[in-house]
Amino acid sequence: MVETDVPAEQEGGNAPAPPAATTAQWGAVWILLLGAFMGFLDIFIVNVANPSIQAEMNASFADIQLVPTGYTLAYGAGLVAGGRLGDIFGRRRVFLVGVVIFALTSVACAAAQSPGFLIGARIAQGLGAAVMLPQVLALIQVTFQRDEERSRAIGLYGAVIGIGVVAGQIVGGFLIEWDVADLGWRSIFLVNVPLCVITFVGALALVRDPGERTPMKLDLLGVVLLGAGLLGLVHGLVIGAEQGWTGLRVGEMAGGAVLLALFILWERRVAAGSEAPLLPPRLFKQRGFSMGLPTALCFYGVNGAFIFLLAFYLQQAKDFTPLQSALTFTPMAILTSVFSVLCGKLVARWGQRVVPGGAIVMALGLGLVWVGVDLMEGTNPAAALMPGLVLYGAGGGIVATSLIGVALSGVAPADAGAASGGILTAVQVSEAAGVAGIGALFAALATGHGEVSGFAVSVGVLAVLSLVTALLLNLLSRPAGAGSETAA
């Protein structure tokens, strides 16, 4: 799943081995990964700053909810269209445009003087991320000619997702605590600017787009149907879970579901004609992509919900400062990084069962977190939770490194952008849904039984969902139809 043991020379009989990646190509990958890291970092970095933003701007709770949600919704709704733009206009060019948009909107967020302006800037920032991020996977997919090198690069990308989500809490906590140049919460947005400069200059120097552009028109109706459908479904879910399931929210979700159904019918019609669909139906005939989507939904739903709940619990229920919360997350982030790097060697030694085993380790870690909650009375909360967090980080690093590579295996270069956008959309929707669904469960339990009980039960549910992820990963890694899985 991560690396193959078959030498490249044997894949085509006596055909010569494809050339190995150059140092410049690997340098380009690290530049692309920095761009991806920024996009995922900004999903969660705002969490620790929300109280400061609300106090300074005298914002309502509804306004402050839209600061993270606006980014999430715009980002999730635009990913597939962003990927297809790269297929049409060139992935390197579109990536550079996305980096510029991300930098400018980060400055706009930092300069905001009103809740409305900040929310609008966050929405624009999310659209910039939606343009930028799908190009990363697509460029990786077409850059490497050796399967094992491509798998390694995609595995690093999967690791970046997990690290970026956790690092959002850590970086945000340190920046708020240090209050650099008296900028307060504004520093969490300005930190993107030097990263964008490095990414832009590095991409100009190192990134190349060996893939040919696909001569097609952008499926505008597909963009509208998919974007509006995801917006209605995810916005209704997030706001309904936080503010109550009114008739308006239920209707919004139902409308989003209808639009997504119409999107599927429209894409089939476009594919049957002479034009190129936004998300080609043929992708769903590939085992990795069709099974990878629900697996990604389950895994990233668990991950997003746990990160959100843990930060909320530590700061609201246990009165941790943002810095204390960040330090609690740090060992988990380190273990995620370490096992992301070790994943390939573990798979080479023990086989593909290592990957579903990683999800089982996640479940065990969540179980230990549950036990740690009960031991908190009279104990340092961070110390009580640490064994579970370490196991969770190690298992999550293994799964994140492998999952996306499998889902994209066998995707044709012409569809690399669309497939990347589809997978990233599943990641984003699952994180939003996980936060909304498990967050609503926690809120309901906390109201009736207290925050400790609510957190413990919610973590137990996430442990069960991690076991479901392990089952899906086991099915995904089975050798049946392996010919399409190992071919890239």
Side-chain angles (χ1 to χ4, degrees), residues 2-384:
V2 177
E3 297 179 348
T4 58
D5 296 325
V6 181
E9 295 87 342
Q10 298 178 10
E11 293 179 358
N14 295 323
T22 65
T23 301
Q25 285 176 313
W26 279 110
V29 167
W30 287 109
I31 290 295
L32 293 169
L33 291 177
L34 179 58
F37 176 77
M38 288 189 296
F40 288 104
L41 180 79
D42 268 52
I43 297 173
F44 286 90
I45 195 172
V46 75
N47 285 347
V48 295
N50 276 337
S52 301
I53 296 172
Q54 185 176 18
E56 181 176 324
M57 291 190 170
N58 196 25
S60 67
F61 186 67
D63 285 337
I64 212 65
Q65 285 176 319
L66 289 174
V67 174
T69 303
Y71 179 92
T72 300
L73 293 175
Y75 171 56
L79 279 166
V80 175
R84 215 44 163 170
L85 286 173
D87 291 336
I88 297 172
F89 297 107
R91 290 142 193 155
R92 177 176 178 267
R93 177 183 299 176
V94 174
F95 176 77
L96 290 170
V97 170
V99 172
V100 171
I101 295 173
F102 198 81
L104 294 176
T105 53
S106 295
V107 173
C109 289
Q113 299 298 319
S114 68
F117 187 92
L118 178 58
I119 292 167
R122 282 286 283 175
I123 291 172
Q125 190 187 34
L127 291 174
V131 171
M132 177 175 63
L133 263 70
Q135 317 316 323
V136 177
L137 276 175
L139 285 166
I140 289 173
Q141 195 77 351
V142 299
T143 294
F144 295 99
Q145 297 187 43
R146 292 191 176 186
D147 293 346
E148 65 272 17
E149 291 180 331
R150 185 185 301 114
S151 296
R152 179 185 169 196
I154 293 177
L156 290 172
Y157 182 92
V160 162
I161 296 179
I163 295 168
V165 170
V166 177
Q169 310 290 332
I170 298 172
V171 175
F174 275 101
L175 289 174
I176 296 296
E177 182 75 16
W178 290 339
D179 193 17
V180 179
D182 293 326
L183 289 170
W185 58 266
R186 300 178 192 276
S187 61
I188 69 169
F189 298 114
L190 291 176
V191 73
N192 291 325
V193 177
L195 298 179
C196 284
V197 172
I198 294 171
T199 302
F200 188 87
V201 174
L204 282 177
L206 296 174
V207 174
R208 299 291 179 265
D209 187 359
E212 297 181 359
R213 299 183 195 175
T214 305
M216 67 177 83
K217 294 181 180 179
L218 184 63
D219 178 12
L220 291 178
L221 182 56
V223 171
V224 172
L225 290 173
L226 179 61
L230 287 173
L231 183 65
L233 193 64
V234 178
H235 182 265
L237 179 62
V238 172
I239 302 301
E242 293 173 346
Q243 299 181 2
W245 298 105
T246 63
L248 176 62
R249 297 302 166 215
V250 174
E252 185 179 16
M253 290 185 63
V258 170
L259 289 174
L260 290 177
L262 292 175
F263 168 74
I264 293 172
L265 294 175
W266 172 251
E267 293 299 282
R268 289 179 177 177
R269 179 178 177 180
V270 172
S274 58
E275 297 184 1
L278 184 67
L279 191 64
R282 62 178 172 268
L283 288 175
F284 293 92
K285 296 180 181 179
Q286 298 174 7
R287 185 171 179 269
F289 188 83
S290 61
M291 291 194 64
L293 281 178
T295 309
L297 284 168
C298 195
F299 170 70
Y300 287 105
V302 169
N303 197 53
F306 180 60
I307 298 301
F308 172 81
L309 276 184
L310 182 60
F312 181 87
Y313 182 74
L314 291 174
Q315 293 186 52
Q316 299 296 327
K318 293 299 174 181
D319 296 323
F320 273 39
T321 66
L323 179 59
Q324 289 174 320
S325 177
L327 292 174
T328 304
F329 275 95
T330 301
M332 183 168 66
I334 292 173
L335 266 293
T336 298
S337 303
V338 169
F339 277 84
S340 296
V341 174
L342 294 177
C343 180
K345 294 181 180 179
L346 293 174
V347 170
R349 165 110 186 180
W350 303 104
Q352 304 295 353
R353 62 182 179 274
V354 166
V355 183
I360 294 174
V361 172
M362 287 172 57
L364 291 174
L366 290 169
L368 287 180
V369 169
W370 188 356
V371 172
V373 171
D374 290 333
L375 296 178
M376 278 187 175
E377 294 301 327
T379 306
N380 184 321

Side-chain angles (χ1 to χ4, degrees), residues 413-481:
D415 293 329
S420 301
I423 290 295
L424 291 178
T425 298
V427 171
Q428 190 54 44
V429 169
S430 66
E431 288 180 343
V435 169
I438 302 298
L441 173 65
F442 168 76
L445 292 170
T447 300
H449 304 283
E451 291 176 330
V452 172
S453 176
F455 180 68
V457 174
S458 299
V459 168
V461 172
L462 292 176
V464 173
L465 291 175
S466 294
L467 294 177
V468 174
T469 302
L471 176 61
L472 292 172
L473 285 167
N474 184 59
L475 295 173
L476 187 59
S477 60
R478 283 182 179 177

